[in-house]
Amino acid sequence: MQKTKEESKKLFIQTLGCQMNDTDSAHIIAELGEHNNYTTTDTMEDADLIIINTCSVREKPVQKLFSEIGQFNSKKKEGAKIGVCGCTASHLGKDIIKRAPYVDFVLGARNISKISKIIDQKGAVEIDIEHDDSTYEFARSETSLYKTSVNISIGCDKECTYCIVPATRGDEISIPPEMIIEQIKKDVLKGAIEVTLLGQNVNSYGRKFSDGRGKTTFTQLLHDISKIEGIERIRFTSPHPLHMDDEFIEEFARNPKISKCIHMPLQSGSTKILKAMKRGYSKEWFLNRAAKIRELVPEVRITTDIIVAFPGETQEDFDDTIDVINQVKFDQIFNFKYSPRPNTAALELKDQEIPDEIGSARLIQVIDLHKEHQSEHMRSNIGKTVKVLFESLKPNGEVSGFTDNWCQVYVKGSDELLGKIAEVKITSSTRTTLKGELVN
Ligand code: 5AD
Ligand code: SF4
C-alpha cells in the first residue's frame, strides 16, 4: 500500500555507544518504517514514538539515560510513547520501568527483531540474551549512498573481566555467510562501494551458526566478500588481537580491497593486567602482531582501545602500557578509565581499585603522548599521493572523504566527486585531518 505523508507516524531515535548500537538503530528505523509506517524526525517534541538506544559499557551512559528519558517525558507530545533499547535495556530490564514508570517498553540488544510488535505492548520487557536474531532478515534503511555496514555476528564468547557485553548481548552466533553476501550485493545495487563488517569480535567469525553447520573463518569471509563486484573497500570492527594469526594478517596485507586501517584493542600493555582482564595474550604477543602488520603493510594505520587504572594496575604496569604506545605509535587511541560494571568478574577486585586521581592522571598521560604520535603520523602524509573515496560536500566548497587507511581528507571540489575514488596529493595536515589537491 502506498504510504501517504498524513498516515506516517514520527519516530525520534537517540543512539549512544558503539557501531553495533548504530546498526541496531538503523534496523529499528527500517523495521518500523517497513512494518509500522514510521518515518524519522530530528525533533523530539514532534515524535509519536521516542526511542533511546543506549550502551552500558561504561557507567556514564546509564546515568545519562535516566536524566534524558526524564526530560523527554516532560517535553514529549501528548500520547507519545517512550522505549528504551540496547545494552542498558538488557542489563537493567524491568528496573527501568520501576524507576521511570512512564517508559512504555524495554527491548534488549539481542532482541531488536521484536521491535514492530513491542511498540504496542505497554509495559513489555524483552531482554532474553539467548534470543537468536542471527538469521532474521532485517528491513534495510538507506543511511549513506556509498557506504554500508552489516552485522556478521551477534554476542561475544569472550569473558574479558571488565566487560558487560557478554551479559547484555549473550553468546556469540555468526550470521550465515550467504546472508551477509546477499545483503552486501543488494546494497551494491543501491550504490554502496564500501562495506563495514560489524561484530563484537569479528575475527572469531564462523565458529557457531544457528543451524549447526560446519565452521568457517573470518579470513574466508573476507576473501568471499572481496569477490563481490562493485565492492571497492572492506572495513571491519572490532577484531581481537588474540585471533590475529598469520593467515589473517597475510590476507589483510594481500587483499587490495581490505582497508589498511586496523583496530587492535590493546586494553593494557602489562601482561599481568592482561591476565587479570582475561584477554588471552601477552604484551609480547601484541607487539609481535603489530610489528608483523607494520612490516607487511607499511602504510597501515593502527587504532586501539586502552583502559587505564584497571584494579591492581601499578606504576610499573602502567609504564608497560606507555611502552607499548611508544613502540606501536597508534594512529588513534580510544582511551578509558576503568569503570566497574555490574555482572563482571572484575568486581571481585574491588579492594585493588585505583584511586580516581591516579586514574585521571594516567588518562591524561596517555592522551598527551598520543597527540604527539598523531601529529607525527599525519605530517608524514604531506607530499604523498593517496586515494580518497569522497562522500560529503561541505558548505565552504570543500569535499571530504577517506583514504584507504582511513584518514579524513579535504579538497576543493564539487558534488561530482561524491561516490568516486580519486587521487589526491596531500599538501597540509592537522592532528586529525589532511588537506590536498586533486591529481588529474
Ligand atoms: N571500563 C572502562 N572501559 C571499558 N571498556 C569496556 N568495558 C569497560 C569498562 N568496564 C572499553 C574497552 C572496549 C571499549 C569498547 O570500551 O576498551 O574495547
Ligand atoms: Fe567485551 Fe572482551 Fe567481548 Fe570485546 S571481546 S565485547 S571487550 S568481552
Side-chain angles (χ1 to χ4, degrees), residues 183-195:
Q183 190 57 67
I184 299 173
K185 282 184 178 166
K186 278 189 199 157
D187 292 341
V188 166
L189 289 178
K190 291 188 200 152
I193 57 179
E194 178 185 298
V195 62

Side-chain angles (χ1 to χ4, degrees), residues 57-58 162-164 263 265 267 305-307 334 336-341:
V57 164
R58 289 171 298 278
Y162 52 81
C163 185
I164 197 174
H263 192 57
Q267 312 299 2
D305 291 344
I306 286 174
I307 300 177
F334 301 95
F336 311 105
K337 193 160 44 169
Y338 169 73
S339 149
R341 309 303 298 119

Side-chain angles (χ1 to χ4, degrees), residues 57 155-166 172 200-201 238 240 265 267 277-279 305 307:
V57 164
C156 179
D157 275 350
K158 297 273 181 249
E159 292 173 344
C160 301
T161 54
Y162 52 81
C163 185
I164 197 174
V165 167
E172 183 175 303
Q200 298 298 337
N201 208 337
S238 282
H240 194 298
Q267 312 299 2
M277 289 175 163
K278 274 207 182 170
R279 289 290 290 172
D305 291 344
I307 300 177

